[in-house]
């Protein structure tokens, strides 16, 4: 049973309110594909992923990044029911998309770095700790329906 | 995991820009690691891990110095860190999973203090470099 203190919830919502979902989403996905290039295996139909510049500017990457982070926003609205929130997406990622759950952990770590570059000194150790907890739980929820 | 020529020059340039702040970065990376991954504290029962701890600062300095040394000898990280590798294998025996955690925290520190430095390309190179360091330090474990 996931427990969130009031302070943790505040650290999440306080930061999230200042996040541009489109920008951060695009950047997070681009960095995932750049820093861990084997993750490109899921995006054969995305066109040009031949260089960091190509990846960063790729409109499909940007759009998909926005989609992914928008979904993350749903988690934040439902912190007490991450399992329920991600139940269908979990099945989708297993049965249709065939994504190794390790990739969720990689993306979570990348998102942390993106938030750190945007929020700099506001991204305190306490803030990082709560957000790492969140991305870990989201990854876990997304992996939960795998079979 | 092989460091390309570009990775090497990215890493050297990054550490050049970080310069003397490396020591602070080391300390803050440890602080973040202890806060974010409390299980890592189990390796430091003999330390005061409270905020501003002098022991954590001193240890952060050591960690940073090792990273700088590795960056300065980036063509032979195994050689540069050979003694540290022995130490980790024989005495410290830190579980390999923890090097990734510290690496993540070090990247976060760089991101927080020097966001412009951490372009996606440099992020990739630094991540690879930190991985390589972790691999060297655990290479003699068995």
């Amino acid at each position: 049973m996931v427990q969130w203190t009031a302070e943790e919830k505040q650290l999440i919502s306080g930061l999230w309110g200042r996040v541009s979902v489109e920008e951060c989403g695009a950047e997070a996905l681009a960095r995932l594909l750049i820093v861990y290039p084997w993750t490109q295996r899921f995006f054969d139909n995305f066109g040009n992923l031949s260089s960091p510049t190509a990846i960063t500017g790729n409109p499909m990457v940007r759009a998909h990044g926005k989609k992914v982070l928008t979904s993350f926003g749903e988690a934040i609205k439902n912190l007490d029911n991450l399992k329920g929130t991600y139940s269908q997406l979990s099945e989708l990622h297993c049965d249709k998309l065939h994504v190794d759950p390790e990739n969720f952990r990689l993306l979570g770590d990348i998102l942390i770095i993106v938030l750190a570059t945007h929020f700099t000194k506001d991204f305190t150790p306490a803030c990082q700790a709560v957000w790492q907890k969140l991305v870990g739980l989201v990854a876990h929820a997304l992996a939960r329906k795998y079979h | 995991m092989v460091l390309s020529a570009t990775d090497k020059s990215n890493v050297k340039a990054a550490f050049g820009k970080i310069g003397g702040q490396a020591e602070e970065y080391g300390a803050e990376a440890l602080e973040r690691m202890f806060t974010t991954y409390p299980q890592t504290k189990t390796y430091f029962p003999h330390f005061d891990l409270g905020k501003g701890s002098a022991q954590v600062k001193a240890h952060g300095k050591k960690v940073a110095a090792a990273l700088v040394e590795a960056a300065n000898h980036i063509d032979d990280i195994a050689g540069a860190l050979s003694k540290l590798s022995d130490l980790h294998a024989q005495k410290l025996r830190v579980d390999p999973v923890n090097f990734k955690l510290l690496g993540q925290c070090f990247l976060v520190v760089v991101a927080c203090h020097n966001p412009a430095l951490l372009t996606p390309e440099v992020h990739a190179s630094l991540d690879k470099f930190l991985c390589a360091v972790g691999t060297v330090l655990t290479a003699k474990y068995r």
Side-chain angles (χ1 to χ4, degrees), chain A residues 4-5 12 17 23 34 37 42 46 48 50 52 64-65 68 81 83 88 90 93-94 104 110 120 131-133 146:
Chain A
W4 299 100
T5 66
I12 292 170
E23 276 313 307
I34 293 165
F42 300 107
F46 270 31
N48 187 4
S50 60
H64 195 68
V68 168
N81 184 24
K83 288 190 250 191
Q88 285 185 303
S90 180
H93 281 76
C94 173
F104 310 140
I110 292 276
T120 59
W131 276 83
Q132 294 271 188
K133 176 179 169 179
Y146 273 57

Side-chain angles (χ1 to χ4, degrees), chain A residues 31 109 120 123 128 132, chain B residues 32 36-37 104 112 118 123:
Chain A
R31 279 183 189 255
D109 278 353
T120 59
F123 200 64
Q128 179 188 353
Q132 294 271 188
Chain B
R32 284 178 181 272
T36 307
Y37 310 108
Q104 167 75 354
C112 284
L118 207 67
H123 177 174

Side-chain angles (χ1 to χ4, degrees), chain A residues 9 12-17 19 69-80 82 85-86 111 131 134 138:
Chain A
K9 288 189 176 183
I12 292 170
S13 60
L15 205 81
W16 188 249
V19 167
L69 207 62
T70 301
S71 159
F72 211 84
E74 283 306 301
I76 291 175
K77 285 192 211 138
N78 293 285
L79 286 175
D80 296 320
L82 292 175
T85 304
Y86 279 112
L111 179 61
W131 276 83
L134 176 60
V138 168

Side-chain angles (χ1 to χ4, degrees), chain A residues 86-106:
Chain A
Y86 279 112
S87 179
Q88 285 185 303
L89 269 177
S90 180
E91 287 172 6
L92 179 79
H93 281 76
C94 173
D95 298 332
K96 295 264 152 43
L97 305 178
H98 310 291
V99 176
D100 178 349
E102 179 59 23
N103 293 283
F104 310 140
R105 288 177 259 287
L106 291 179

Side-chain angles (χ1 to χ4, degrees), chain B residues 25-85:
Chain B
Y25 283 25
E28 191 181 327
L30 285 175
E31 184 198 347
R32 284 178 181 272
M33 187 183 71
F34 295 138
T35 309
T36 307
Y37 310 108
Q39 67 272 23
T40 57
K41 294 191 289 187
T42 57
Y43 291 96
F44 299 90
H46 52 301
F47 266 30
D48 161 26
L49 296 178
K51 197 154 171 57
S53 156
Q55 285 176 305
V56 173
K57 280 201 174 84
H59 199 68
K61 238 174 121 170
K62 273 196 214 169
V63 169
L67 290 177
V68 168
E69 183 75 359
N72 287 339
H73 295 90
I74 203 161
D75 290 321
D76 182 18
I77 297 176
L81 300 186
S82 178
K83 289 217 171 67
L84 259 184
S85 181

Side-chain angles (χ1 to χ4, degrees), chain B:
Chain B
M1 193 98 47
V2 169
L3 295 175
S4 69
T6 310
D7 288 325
K8 292 178 185 180
S9 81
N10 281 346
V11 170
K12 286 175 113 77
F15 275 90
K17 288 205 189 101
I18 291 169
Q21 291 180 297
E23 292 178 357
E24 284 163 43
Y25 283 25
E28 191 181 327
L30 285 175
E31 184 198 347
R32 284 178 181 272
M33 187 183 71
F34 295 138
T35 309
T36 307
Y37 310 108
Q39 67 272 23
T40 57
K41 294 191 289 187
T42 57
Y43 291 96
F44 299 90
H46 52 301
F47 266 30
D48 161 26
L49 296 178
K51 197 154 171 57
S53 156
Q55 285 176 305
V56 173
K57 280 201 174 84
H59 199 68
K61 238 174 121 170
K62 273 196 214 169
V63 169
L67 290 177
V68 168
E69 183 75 359
N72 287 339
H73 295 90
I74 203 161
D75 290 321
D76 182 18
I77 297 176
L81 300 186
S82 178
K83 289 217 171 67
L84 259 184
S85 181
D86 291 337
L87 182 73
H88 281 78
Q90 289 155 22
K91 193 148 170 283
L92 304 176
R93 291 168 293 182
V94 173
D95 191 285
V97 71
N98 294 288
F99 295 94
K100 207 170 171 233
L101 304 182
L102 182 56
Q104 167 75 354
C105 289
F106 188 80
L107 285 174
V108 170
V109 173
V110 175
C112 284
H113 288 266
N114 218 326
L117 173 59
L118 207 67
T119 63
E121 293 89 328
V122 171
H123 177 174
S125 298
L126 273 178
D127 192 85
K128 282 173 80 172
F129 168 72
L130 292 166
C131 255
V133 169
T135 299
V136 162
L137 291 177
T138 58
K140 301 176 199 175
Y141 272 30
R142 55 177 174 169

